[in-house]
Amino acid sequence: MPTRTEGSAPPGDRVAWADVAKGACIVLVVLWHVVVKDYLRIDWRAGLPVPGAWGLLGEQLLPLRMPLFFAISGIFAANAVARPWRVSGRPRIARNLYLYAIWLLIHTALLALAPGFPTDRATDPGELLAQLTVTPSNLWYLYALALYFVLAKALRRVHPAVLLTAAGALSAVAATGLLDSPGNRGQVYQNLVFFLAGVRLKPYLTRWADGASTRRLAGTGAAYAIGLAAMGLAGVQSWPGAYLFVSVLAVAFGLTAAARLARHRLAGPALARLGRRTLGVYVIHMPVLALLDRLLAAPVAGLGGPGRALLVTVYPVVLTALVLALSLAAHRGLTVLGARWLFDLPRRRVHSNPEGETMPRIDGPALPDRTHVEEAARALSGRVVRTPVLHSPVIDRLAGARILLKAENLQDGGSYKMRGAMLAVGRLAAAGHTGVVAQSTGNHAVAVALAARRHGLAATVVLPVDAAPVKVDRARAAGARVVRAGTTVEERLAVARRIAEVEGHPLVDAYDHPDVVAGQGSASLELIEEAARRGTPLDALVVPVGGGGGIAGACLAAAGTPIQVYGVEPVGCDSLARSLAAGRPTPVAPAPSLADGLRPGCVGDLPFAVARTGVRGVVRVDDDAIVEAFRLLLLELKVLVEPSGAAGLAGALRLDGVTGPGGSGAGRRRTVGVVLTGGNVEADLVARLAGDPMTVGVAA
């Protein structure tokens, strides 16, 4: 079974609950502002205590909203705190301060048009300067995120107990009102401890959420309610530490509730999607609410009849939903119109490659080498599964050699594509990107979606209209927006490029990306190392070929060793074989094949540049050979792979007599490594492949 090394990244579902928590927090923030800035100012004359109940509910949630938000923000920032200042400073510090300054100016201008709307605003240059520097406005959370990250990074060598005790003391004193805290400065003081707790206690908080149960939810909810009641009835809110203690209970409850909601079939995905898009809502919702207050408050106050009693009850919910929808729509519209600078730092000088990926300008083309694969392996250690290496004497006898099988079908996301996606998306996240776009027949899209979720990025993936349902479902389950387009790479790329251009997010190419190639190569490197550890070093390495990212990574991993690298392609989908013969990337019209992941039409430029000198030969296999390999793996090793993954073993069984580009024979091989690249396969296809071979066919 898959194993994880120490310090492994939390599984994807743990990040899902964090996104759910962020989504819930933004809903509660908007609801609070709706209640106190609009709803309670309306003269309802309803003769019902409903307005007071809404106000009381909002007050009882004060210990939960922002403490939970900053605890989650700390969890997401934990890895970045360990990175160098030059890497983390721009996305974590400069970006938040830039957004704070930009949107403070926008709010100051827009809210001046609604002078009766009750919110902080600067009325002269001196107040504006104070809000920009020492007295943050209602956008204070952006200011706080930048400040908190600086403190977390500068104090990262201080023992957590000392750091959290000091921050807790500051929070406790600030909550009593003993500190001078004009504007929202008191909020900045009070919530630092929760951000630092997210950073320094991330493993404990994730384990807490991972163990969320109905009993724990009830227990933490009851503790939170009792704490609120005690604080209110006994009048101890002004006691130092009382409010902090209740906030800690609230965060424990919030984490548990988010983890439970993440498992809900409807609420979980909806809140997680909102949680990945909170920035637009945070910065836009206040002007939107001010506009709606101006348009709706008077007509609602004058409303009569039986509908008034219903409206006084549901109005906060309806207006909150409307503010959220309009804020998200405004964010989308501004992005489409090219105003991405309102939501992110202007990009550094870059150039675009043919696939839409933006990269820093470099002096000349540079191919990755073995050191890049080794660096990728170190970067991915603990973040992806170190999959097992399998062996079967029966398969050895059939192959006439010792066959070692790297079971990447057991990788997160069901394929080795997770490696390249985690590396590429992780570096884009560290560079400050907020979203990514990808296209593939399925596995790369699933991997990018999972990697984006783990790094808190939005993901859009473009899949063919005939993509395997299991891959579509997995991409959606990972939180990605799925777009279906065409049946060819060219059709998908065209759509993906347009989306990348409109949304301002980089396109993570499935093949022509150095991080993807290096990441995929880490699977081959692990196989090489494991074979050597067992005392049976590899003589050959066999990898299925689609766009070429995996075979290029294998070539890099084997560089400097006597290992011969072979590719495997379905008959009629042999772009690499033809490209090696022609000396340049050569497209083909892919023939029908069970191996849907090995039909891209043309090997990528970057993979070909690596493989042209690293590949010893290419084996062409038909569907019968793939089915034979599929059954061997299923019956002999009890391992389920997709046809594209089984193609590697099919090729290994047919290595004898294969010639390379130069015409030389393959030579004698004692130990052959095979990468089983994926295991995302439909149940009905498994049934067909495991049945009568005469009933198996592409059209079935």
Side-chain angles (χ1 to χ4, degrees):
M1 294 300 293
T3 58
R4 292 180 181 271
T5 58
E6 290 186 0
S8 66
D13 59 340
R14 297 191 188 177
V15 177
W17 64 252
D19 285 329
V20 167
K22 288 177 63 181
C25 284
I26 189 59
V27 171
L28 294 179
V29 166
V30 174
L31 176 63
W32 171 243
H33 288 160
V34 164
V35 169
V36 300
K37 298 180 184 298
D38 178 87
Y39 176 73
L40 292 180
R41 297 172 61 239
I42 297 174
D43 183 8
W44 288 100
R45 303 190 308 274
L48 297 171
V50 177
W54 274 111
L56 179 63
L57 174 64
E59 290 178 354
Q60 303 314 301
L61 293 173
L62 281 173
L64 172 67
R65 280 189 296 267
M66 298 316 291
L68 179 60
F69 168 80
F70 282 111
I72 297 299
S73 298
I75 289 173
F76 279 119
N79 291 336
V81 167
R83 298 185 183 119
W85 286 100
R86 59 182 175 78
V87 174
S88 58
R90 178 177 170 86
R92 297 287 177 173
I93 303 170
R95 178 174 179 265
N96 285 325
L97 291 178
Y98 166 81
L99 292 175
Y100 175 70
I102 287 290
W103 282 97
L104 177 60
L105 296 174
I106 293 173
H107 278 207
T108 301
L110 292 180
L111 294 174
L113 303 177
F117 187 72
T119 190
D120 290 338
R121 76 190 79 221
T123 57
D124 59 60
E127 288 184 358
L128 182 60
L129 179 61
Q131 288 186 349
L132 283 169
T133 53
V134 295
T135 308
S137 72
N138 52 35
L139 294 159
W140 65 273
Y141 54 89
L142 290 169
Y143 178 98
L145 284 173
L147 176 63
Y148 292 171
F149 187 84
V150 170
L151 292 173
K153 186 159 179 56
L155 302 174
R156 67 185 185 279
R157 299 190 185 281
V158 177
H159 193 279
V162 176
L163 185 62
L164 293 177
T165 298
L170 175 64
S171 177
V173 173
T176 65
L178 296 177
L179 290 177
D180 181 29
S181 52
N184 286 287
R185 198 186 301 171
Q187 292 272 26
V188 176
Y189 294 151
Q190 290 182 52
N191 288 288
L192 170 63
V193 65
F194 297 103
F195 183 87
L196 294 177
V199 171
R200 305 301 288 271
L201 303 180
K202 176 180 177 179
Y204 304 100
L205 297 178
T206 53
R207 281 202 292 270
W208 173 272
D210 190 46
S213 63
T214 302
R215 178 179 297 181
R216 181 179 292 178
L217 179 64
T220 54
Y224 178 28
I226 292 170
L228 287 171
M231 189 169 60
L233 296 176
V236 299
Q237 181 168 347
S238 60
W239 292 11
Y243 189 85
L244 174 62
F245 177 71
V246 174
S247 295
V248 171
L249 295 176
V251 170
F253 167 71
L255 292 173
T256 307
R260 297 294 296 171
L261 277 172
R263 303 169 192 172
H264 191 276
R265 186 169 60 88
L266 298 177
L271 283 172
R273 283 194 297 272
L274 180 61
R276 291 188 292 273
R277 293 163 175 81
T278 55
L279 175 63
V281 178
Y282 271 119
V283 298
I284 294 174
H285 81 274
M286 194 67 77
V288 168
L289 179 58
L291 174 63
L292 292 176
D293 175 74
R294 188 165 184 175
L295 293 176
L296 300 178
V300 167
L303 187 67
R308 187 177 185 84
L310 175 63
L311 190 61
V312 72
T313 303
V314 302
Y315 185 78
V317 175
V318 173
L319 190 57
T320 296
L322 183 59
V323 170
L324 287 168
L326 290 176
S327 299
L328 290 169
H331 174 260
R332 175 75 174 176
L334 290 168
T335 302
V336 170
L337 293 173
R340 290 186 293 272
W341 56 273
L342 289 174
F343 306 101
D344 205 351
L345 277 171
R347 301 291 184 215
R348 292 166 174 164
R349 181 174 175 80
V350 297
H351 76 287
S352 296
N353 73 4
E355 306 304 335
E357 171 72 32
T358 56
M359 301 179 186
R361 185 171 296 279
I362 55 178
D363 295 331
L367 294 178
D369 55 28
R370 194 174 198 271
T371 61
H372 290 87
V373 177
E374 293 170 341
E375 290 172 359
R378 287 193 293 270
L380 294 173
S381 177
R383 301 170 64 197
V384 298
V385 176
R386 188 177 180 95
T387 53
V389 175
L390 309 176
H391 172 247
S392 164
V394 173
I395 294 176
D396 287 355
R397 287 195 297 271
L398 291 172
R402 183 179 180 85
I403 304 294
L404 298 180
L405 301 148
K406 180 69 168 168
E408 284 294 295
N409 57 307
L410 302 178
Q411 184 59 257
D412 286 345
S415 82
Y416 79 142
K417 296 285 188 177
M418 192 65 187
R419 296 172 178 270
M422 278 295 289
L423 188 65
V425 173
R427 289 180 174 172
L428 291 171
H433 291 277
T434 57
V436 290
V437 180
Q439 69 78 26
S440 80
T441 57
N443 282 340
H444 177 68
V446 171
V448 168
L450 286 169
R453 182 172 69 176
R454 290 194 186 181
H455 288 92
L457 274 61
T460 300
V461 298
V462 182
L463 295 171
V465 294
D466 57 352
V470 66
K471 297 178 181 179
V472 176
D473 293 343
R474 286 198 172 193
R476 285 182 174 146
R481 176 167 65 106
V482 175
V483 177
R484 310 287 283 274
T487 58
T488 67
V489 175
E490 291 73 19
E491 291 170 314
R492 296 195 304 273
L493 268 176
V495 172
R497 287 169 181 162
R498 286 197 297 270
I499 294 173
E501 177 62 27
V502 168
E503 297 188 353
H505 296 157
L507 194 155
V508 181
D509 192 84
Y511 327 118
D512 274 322
H513 194 297
D515 288 337
V516 170
V517 169
Q520 320 303 39
S522 67
S524 294
L525 184 64
E526 288 180 8
L527 176 54
I528 292 169
E529 293 173 345
E530 176 64 17
R533 188 189 66 79
R534 295 184 181 188
T536 55
L538 296 185
D539 299 296
L541 181 58
V542 180
V543 181
V545 180
I551 191 72
C555 290
L556 296 177
T561 75
I563 299 172
Q564 300 173 348
V565 179
Y566 293 88
V568 181
E569 293 181 304
V571 172
C573 307
D574 52 349
S575 175
L576 178 59
R578 299 189 189 194
S579 299
L580 292 172
R584 64 182 181 279
T586 303
V588 297
S593 173
L594 287 169
D596 63 324
L598 307 182
R599 303 179 63 246
C602 188
V603 66
D605 291 339
L606 174 60
F608 176 74
V610 174
R612 67 184 304 174
T613 58
V615 169
R616 182 65 181 267
V618 178
V619 188
R620 296 176 176 89
V621 295
D622 58 21
D623 280 355
D624 288 342
I626 292 173
V627 173
E628 175 194 1
F630 173 90
R631 289 176 174 167
L632 273 173
L633 292 166
L634 186 62
L635 298 177
E636 295 300 329
L637 288 170
K638 309 303 184 284
V639 168
L640 179 63
V641 298
E642 60 189 276
S644 298
L649 176 58
L653 294 173
R654 289 158 178 79
L655 272 186
D656 287 340
V658 175
T659 57
S664 59
R668 183 171 182 269
R669 291 168 292 273
R670 294 180 297 275
T671 305
V672 178
V674 178
V675 180
L676 303 177
T677 50
N680 293 320
V681 58
E682 295 291 323
D684 60 344
L685 181 57
V686 173
R688 293 203 303 271
L689 296 183
D692 184 353
M694 298 302 293
T695 67
V696 175
V698 176

